[in-house]
Amino acid sequence: MSKSLQAIRGMNDILPEQTPLWRYFESTVAGLLDTYGYRQIRTPIVEFTELFKRSIGEVTDIVEKEMYTFEDRNGDSLTLRPEGTAACVRAVLEHGITGSGQVQKLWYIGQMFRHERPQKGRYRQFNQIGVEVFNLDGPDIDAELIVLTWRLWGLLGIRDAVTLELNSLGTSEARARYRDALVEFLSARLEQLDEDSQRRLKSNPLRILDSKDANTQKVLVGAPKLEDYLDEESRLHFDGLKARLEAAGIPFVINTKLVRGLDYYSKTVFEWVTDKLGSQGTVCAGGRYDGLVEQMGGKPTTGVGFAMGIERLILLLETLEQVPESIHRQVDVYLCAFGEQAELAGLALSEQLRDRLPNLRLQVNAGGGSFKSQFKKADKSAALFALILGDDELAQQVVGFKPLRGQGEQQNIAWDALAEHLEASFAQA
Ligand code: ATP
Ligand code: MG
């Protein structure tokens, strides 16, 4: 195939074999979020570039080198969204739904775009489900976000494979004081730092803490610790969160180097990580961003949220073999009809069945074919039962009812008794 007819590198098709798992995952999360009282918000995939620069921060990896930015026909600079929080904040501001202190508990799902080096668990188009809560500033809501993800891991059967890492970044004042101390310490050891970290020392020094470079990590052993700079308010908030997680029986580890890639976080930050996926081990990440709404032109409004990477969680479900068998059955019943008259009767009968049994997964043979070939298709469809309509059945107003998975013999069922017979058969199967 010529190159122009292939999908863009790092952007994947999700084929029919895989969509049942995606839908299972998505509906599990959506159902859970419903039960906790979160409501979905849908925002456009494209926004003004300025939105991401102002919210995520000019000197972050995302804005510096990962965004898909282009000029549209009006000459406006637009960007495919690299994450979901910025648009959420824009939307609540634009529609005034947080302005007088109203609490909003929101969630979103959708594609995100970042120009990164594609590899297992890291793509250029990827999918996230995220949650954002506005106007609740206590540790109770931070705890709720973590508790509900913990419940999700339980529902999905992956609890044993994930670990919660937790940190507090403090208020922005506390962080500024810490930043000064860190810069002073690292500036005296500049030549021992890797190139990226040297550059970040000016632009975004906190990010040096999660540098992957071994030498830089050695230097950091003796560096000032963020926890020693925490303000009283943040410390109390963090203690409140830890107490709640302990009460809920959720294990966690404190990772004082966890700073997150985005500029806007304050106080709580957390990541759910796994060692089962190689180096792309963070499956869900989030934190508090109390200053962001104001920074984007709104009234002071606290915020806290997280986003999970769907591709990584799907990979984890597959790796741990936690894909429920039941999600793959696409067909319950396959109807075979032989000849024009039988096809007409079969169509009428199948629509009657759909009226009576709206959830029945009924596949009607299309494209004709011999007895043998239709039967082969019925078998391949993985249906539990085949319905057979030929001249004899037509004359007697019955269908041949044939179990395909070895539960009993073929028998004739009258048309008007078919729905009930199917129900009873599925109850037994
Ligand atoms: P990483 O450190 O892995 O680059 P990040 O800090 O950039 O992650 P966030 O912006 O916090 O990631 O996004 C939340 C989650 O979305 C991540 O924890 C991950 O599961 C997923 N994610 C982020 N970038 C990608 C990507 N390029 N491909 C697939 N999933 C991603
Ligand atoms: Mg990243």
Side-chain angles (χ1 to χ4, degrees):
M1 215 193 296
S2 73
K3 187 140 195 283
S4 61
L5 293 181
Q6 293 180 348
I8 295 164
R9 194 162 115 85
M11 304 201 180
N12 301 313
D13 299 310
I14 299 164
L15 294 175
E17 290 74 49
Q18 280 213 293
T19 48
L21 180 52
W22 280 73
R23 290 178 61 180
Y24 157 72
F25 177 81
E26 290 162 0
S27 61
T28 304
V29 185
L32 181 72
L33 289 167
D34 280 345
T35 67
Y36 278 86
Y38 290 76
R39 298 185 302 160
Q40 192 184 16
I41 183 168
R42 301 187 185 202
T43 64
I45 281 181
V46 192
E47 298 273 355
F48 287 118
T49 304
E50 191 55 28
L51 173 70
F52 302 114
K53 288 193 175 166
R54 285 236 323 249
S55 59
I56 299 170
E58 297 263 7
V59 291
T60 55
D61 282 353
I62 292 181
V63 172
E64 275 184 341
K65 53 189 190 205
E66 295 176 358
M67 293 205 303
Y68 280 89
T69 297
F70 60 97
E71 221 174 70
D72 77 355
R73 288 172 193 276
N74 301 330
D76 292 324
S77 178
L78 307 184
T79 293
L80 298 182
R81 63 180 179 198
E83 53 97 59
T85 305
C88 241
V89 170
R90 180 203 47 72
V92 298
L93 282 181
E94 191 166 335
H95 300 284
I97 59 173
T98 52
S100 29
Q102 299 108 300
V103 170
Q104 294 289 346
K105 294 169 61 170
L106 308 174
W107 70 275
Y108 60 83
I109 180 170
Q111 289 89 348
M112 307 295 158
F113 302 84
R114 298 184 194 176
H115 197 275
E116 303 196 65
R117 192 170 70 75
Q119 53 199 289
K120 181 182 168 194
R122 189 176 296 284
Y123 312 99
R124 290 180 174 174
Q125 175 183 302
F126 61 99
N127 290 267
Q128 287 183 336
I129 294 182
V131 167
E132 315 289 353
V133 179
F134 297 100
N135 283 320
L136 287 173
D137 60 5
D140 50 353
I141 192 69
D142 302 29
E144 177 172 286
L145 294 185
I146 291 170
V147 165
L148 77 84
T149 46
W150 176 245
R151 178 164 297 278
L152 176 64
W153 313 144
L155 290 173
L156 296 170
I158 57 175
R159 257 189 197 170
D160 292 345
V162 291
T163 305
L164 174 62
E165 297 194 352
L166 210 57
N167 195 17
S168 176
L169 299 180
T171 56
S172 56
E173 299 79 47
R175 242 187 332 160
R177 272 186 285 121
Y178 174 65
R179 191 182 299 121
D180 291 346
L182 185 67
V183 169
E184 194 187 319
F185 177 87
L186 292 176
S187 299
R189 295 157 181 85
L190 189 66
E191 65 292 344
Q192 298 170 52
L193 300 179
D194 63 283
E195 217 176 285
D196 259 356
S197 297
Q198 292 190 2
R199 192 171 48 84
R200 283 187 174 138
L201 193 56
K202 288 217 173 61
S203 60
N204 195 350
L206 258 53
R207 285 303 306 283
I208 297 174
L209 295 179
D210 69 3
S211 161
K212 305 269 188 292
D213 184 81
N215 281 330
T216 299
Q217 280 303 332
K218 243 184 251 162
V219 176
L220 285 170
V221 171
K225 298 271 175 284
L226 180 54
E227 55 196 303
D228 298 329
Y229 288 77
L230 270 197
D231 52 288
E232 189 59 15
E233 181 194 335
S234 301
R235 194 184 302 281
L236 283 175
H237 197 278
F238 200 35
D239 287 345
L241 173 59
K242 288 186 281 189
R244 282 169 177 81
L245 295 179
E246 274 155 17
I250 300 179
F252 59 85
V253 296
I254 305 291
N255 175 357
T256 54
K257 289 191 181 140
L258 185 64
V259 291
R260 308 284 306 118
L262 316 182
D263 260 4
Y264 51 57
Y265 286 107
S266 57
K267 292 186 180 155
T268 310
V269 288
F270 66 91
E271 288 192 359
W272 286 99
V273 297
T274 178
D275 58 7
K276 304 282 188 286
L277 295 179
S279 45
Q280 319 313 323
T282 305
V283 293
C284 175
R288 185 162 273 287
Y289 49 85
D290 289 345
L292 179 61
V293 175
E294 202 178 357
Q295 178 189 315
M296 287 172 63
K299 290 186 197 156
T301 303
T302 62
V304 59
F306 66 76
M308 58 183 96
I310 302 183
E311 281 81 357
R312 290 185 194 178
L313 283 159
I314 297 272
L315 273 171
L316 189 57
L317 289 175
E318 289 172 335
T319 306
L320 300 175
E321 298 181 7
Q322 289 295 334
V323 180
E325 192 52 43
S326 58
I327 66 170
H328 286 296
R329 178 166 297 286
Q330 301 287 313
V331 183
D332 296 326
V333 175
Y334 194 100
L335 186 141
C336 309
F338 306 99
E340 175 82 6
Q341 290 310 313
E343 279 185 22
L344 295 178
L347 177 58
L349 186 64
S350 57
E351 287 307 304
Q352 280 164 25
L353 278 180
R354 293 186 206 279
D355 287 341
R356 289 281 303 278
L357 308 172
N359 296 322
L360 182 71
R361 288 167 295 188
L362 167 61
Q363 192 164 321
V364 178
N365 183 73
S370 66
F371 188 82
K372 201 172 148 199
S373 83
Q374 290 198 33
F375 239 76
K376 224 170 162 178
K377 286 196 274 179
D379 199 44
K380 228 179 135 191
S381 76
L384 288 179
F385 305 104
L387 303 180
I388 299 153
L389 266 179
D391 291 341
D392 290 351
E393 287 81 10
L394 215 52
Q396 299 174 51
Q397 305 223 328
V398 297
V399 290
F401 184 92
K402 183 173 167 59
L404 293 172
R405 314 285 147 208
Q407 325 88 317
E409 292 298 299
Q410 179 170 336
Q411 49 182 317
N412 283 342
I413 307 290
W415 289 353
D416 55 11
L418 185 57
E420 260 163 56
H421 186 78
L422 271 173
E423 258 178 331
S425 308
F426 279 111
Q428 272 172 29

